[in-house]
Amino acid sequence: MRFSHCLLVITALLLLIRLFTLGMYPLYDTTEARYAEIARLMVQSQDWITPWFDINVPFWGKPPAHTWITALSFEIFGINEWSARFAHWLMGAATVALLFAFTKRILGHTLAIYSSFILVTCLGFFIATSMVMTDPALLFASTLAMTSFWLCYTEKSRLAGLVFFFACGLGMLIKGPVAVVIIGIALVVWAIWQNQLFNAIKSLPWVLGLTVFIVTFAPWYLLAEQKTPGFINYFIIGEHIQRFLEPGWQGDLYGSAHLETKGTIWLFWLGVACPWSFILIFKLLTAPKQLKALCKINLNRYLIAWAIAPMLLFTLASNILSAYVLPGLPAFALLMTIVFSHEKQLAVSSKPVLQTKADKQFLTIGLVCLAIYSLIITAVIKGWHSKYSEIELLEVIAKPCPSVPVFYIEKRPFSARFYSCGKAQLIEQVAELSDILNTQKQSYLVLTHTQKEILTLPSTHTCLTINTSQKGVLLTCTQKSR
């Protein structure tokens, strides 16, 4: 079997491992459980315009495209962990296919296999593209935009130009203006570096393209603002300006901001692009002159600008997550393919052919990644980690869905809402416990271990423990006969 075929098998195995294990572990708090619950509410309410954070509380934090695909998966496959993650795995697989097709078109079939292989073996891609969150869909949209722009520019393809504008509009529906900004940074950096800014602008079909762009995203924005006034102000000003410029921003309506030291996004990149980020650093230290020649080639400059655009955007931001570097990962994968394919002479503009030594290095890295990532998935399935989900506590009442309320005191995790089918309700003050329980003949009550020790339960109810977990206890409370 040829080395390239071996790499193709490893790539497929890694994707299939993620696919077939999507439902083998619960949705963890807070990210996955939150977005899955928003999608569950969309299915329950059949409101496909406004995502809802809770009953009568609209979710203005993100546009709905990622919620749409999760909700659609729920509609087709039922509401469970596998279907929640499947839509996002599909976005990751589609990104791999898109990178493969793009690389094959410009560099040939063999390098298409290698670039896809590098992308899938990046740690961040392997983990993030099967999680319920916005980033896998954004990764696909940004990859579609960047690949279609290159084909528009180099092949003067009007269709590719229109696809570029559509992809930008799709980004507006997935994550908002930040998607267009990331794409714009990559294109401007490359165009100025290559001294092709005017030609780059001129290559796009602006009139029809802007029409496609606006038609793709604007109708939903207008409908969302009409249905829940205040959305555009919060989303555009709050989420896209204040969130990134104000450390510890307190305006977040749906959680707490992620405060990190400025510049941390580059450290995140090291982890997300691992092991290839460290391989690149090694090559930079051992062969700087050869890699310098890489920067003289137009395509490589384009890939470099694309790869670093997310980090350039978020370098001065404090409220960041590691997944923010994902949009640049396909370019990095293709760039690393070219680096390996030109070990002796990088500055070659024709289609390169990988050397046997590089083939063996790729195969070794692939086998190591396959082994390590399989162990990671095994550890997640076995629960050998610090993540927590309320399914551990609610499993005795989760299937079928509980028919009575499940009360939480002071804090209600998102996973509790998802696994109780929306029956989890919050008692904000301990003093309200008796009055609220008295409204129900029967209900469930969840207490932390500390609450269980210090709280005196109402004498009007008989409360029995039916399950325990590392976080708390689940009680069934029945009102005593009067």
Side-chain angles (χ1 to χ4, degrees):
M1 181 183 291
R2 292 176 56 188
F3 278 115
S4 61
H5 292 161
C6 292
L7 299 187
L8 193 59
V9 169
I10 293 174
T11 302
L13 283 175
L14 287 171
L15 289 172
L16 290 175
I17 286 171
R18 289 300 270 145
L19 176 63
F20 290 115
T21 59
L22 293 178
M24 293 185 180
Y25 49 97
L27 298 168
Y28 296 109
D29 287 306
T30 56
T31 299
E32 278 203 301
R34 175 174 70 167
Y35 287 129
E37 172 61 8
I38 291 171
R40 189 198 66 80
L41 283 172
M42 179 171 281
V43 172
Q44 176 181 298
S45 66
Q46 286 298 296
D47 181 352
W48 294 81
I49 295 176
T50 301
W52 293 94
F53 186 75
D54 202 347
I55 302 299
N56 297 322
V57 180
F59 182 64
W60 288 345
K62 297 290 185 296
H66 71 284
T67 306
W68 287 340
I69 60 175
T70 309
L72 184 60
S73 186
F74 282 162
E75 292 275 23
I76 297 173
F77 302 109
I79 298 176
N80 53 64
E81 297 92 345
W82 188 90
S83 59
R85 296 185 176 110
F86 173 70
H88 306 275
W89 175 90
L90 200 59
M91 291 291 98
T95 301
V96 175
L98 184 57
L99 178 63
F100 180 92
F102 176 70
T103 308
K104 181 179 179 181
R105 182 161 184 154
I106 63 173
L107 294 176
H109 183 267
T110 300
L111 292 194
I113 294 175
Y114 283 79
S115 63
S116 302
F117 165 80
I118 292 177
L119 179 60
V120 172
T121 51
C122 285
L123 178 62
F125 180 91
F126 180 77
I127 293 175
T129 51
S130 294
M131 292 180 63
V132 187
M133 56 183 183
T134 61
D135 300 280
L138 176 62
L139 173 62
F140 172 76
S142 60
T143 304
L144 181 62
M146 295 303 295
T147 54
S148 59
F149 175 85
W150 183 257
L151 296 179
C152 173
Y153 175 77
T154 58
E155 300 181 7
K156 303 188 185 306
S157 171
R158 182 178 177 83
L159 177 60
L162 295 178
V163 172
F164 167 78
F165 282 104
F166 168 75
C168 290
L170 195 59
M172 289 289 292
L173 284 175
I174 294 169
K175 205 143 185 172
V178 68
V180 179
V181 172
I182 291 174
I183 295 166
I185 288 175
L187 295 179
V188 170
V189 168
W190 161 75
I192 294 176
W193 188 7
Q194 190 66 17
N195 196 26
Q196 290 292 318
L197 184 59
F198 176 76
N199 290 335
I201 294 172
K202 187 179 177 181
S203 68
L204 289 168
W206 285 97
V207 176
L208 186 56
L210 285 176
T211 302
V212 170
F213 173 66
I214 293 171
V215 168
T216 301
F217 80 90
W220 177 79
Y221 276 75
L222 295 176
L223 287 172
E225 178 66 23
Q226 181 181 32
K227 188 169 183 180
T228 56
F231 156 72
I232 290 180
N233 179 69
Y234 173 82
F235 181 62
I236 301 298
I237 304 300
E239 287 283 346
H240 283 82
I241 298 177
Q242 294 173 308
R243 182 182 186 88
F244 299 108
L245 296 182
E246 297 180 14
W249 176 53
Q250 299 298 312
D252 196 331
L253 299 176
Y254 311 104
S256 57
H258 303 271
L259 182 60
E260 304 286 352
T261 303
K262 293 180 180 179
T264 302
I265 193 70
W266 293 93
L267 295 179
F268 285 162
W269 174 80
L270 283 176
V272 170
C274 179
W276 302 99
S277 54
F278 294 97
I279 293 172
L280 176 61
I281 291 173
F282 174 78
K283 288 188 173 294
L284 285 171
L285 294 175
T286 57
K289 291 182 179 180
Q290 290 89 336
L291 290 182
K292 185 178 180 180
L294 181 69
C295 299
K296 297 179 181 180
I297 301 172
N298 189 10
L299 171 61
N300 298 337
R301 289 183 175 184
Y302 186 78
L303 295 174
I304 292 170
W306 175 3
I308 67 173
M311 283 76 79
L312 293 178
L313 175 61
F314 294 112
T315 292
L316 298 180
S318 298
N319 301 319
I320 55 174
L321 296 171
S322 59
Y324 289 0
V325 310
L326 283 175
L329 220 51
F332 172 70
L334 182 48
L335 196 60
M336 287 301 294
T337 299
I338 296 172
V339 168
F340 269 87
S341 70
H342 295 283
E343 283 188 311
K344 294 183 178 180
Q345 186 178 0
L346 292 173
V348 176
S349 58
S350 60
K351 295 181 181 179
V353 178
L354 286 165
Q355 306 297 319
T356 302
K357 181 181 177 181
D359 284 335
K360 292 179 179 179
Q361 290 174 335
F362 269 60
L363 184 57
T364 301
I365 294 168
L367 292 174
V368 171
C369 286
L370 182 60
I372 292 176
Y373 295 172
S374 297
L375 289 175
I376 290 174
I377 290 297
T378 301
V380 171
I381 293 172
K382 294 293 186 180
W384 301 334
H385 52 79
S386 60
K387 291 289 186 179
Y388 182 77
S389 173
E390 283 295 289
I391 189 60
E392 294 182 29
L393 194 60
L394 302 181
E395 59 183 351
V396 295
I397 63 172
K399 296 181 181 180
C401 296
S403 57
V404 297
V406 183
F407 293 113
Y408 281 76
I409 299 176
E410 295 179 342
K411 184 178 180 180
R412 175 187 51 170
F414 291 103
S415 59
R417 293 165 54 184
F418 181 83
Y419 285 110
S420 68
C421 305
K423 291 292 185 178
Q425 298 182 23
L426 178 64
I427 299 176
E428 296 183 356
Q429 302 292 334
V430 174
E432 301 172 348
L433 177 60
S434 296
D435 291 339
I436 292 177
L437 285 183
N438 283 332
T439 64
Q440 305 291 328
K441 291 184 178 181
Q442 183 181 1
S443 60
Y444 296 107
L445 179 63
V446 176
L447 302 175
T448 66
H449 292 295
T450 301
Q451 290 171 338
K452 181 71 164 55
E453 292 178 0
I454 63 175
L455 287 182
T456 301
L457 297 178
S459 59
T460 55
H461 286 71
T462 300
C463 294
L464 303 174
T465 300
I466 58 174
N467 200 13
T468 61
S469 73
Q470 63 182 22
K471 293 283 187 174
V473 295
L474 172 65
L475 301 92
T476 177
C477 293
T478 306
Q479 196 174 54
K480 295 179 181 178
S481 300
R482 297 180 180 179

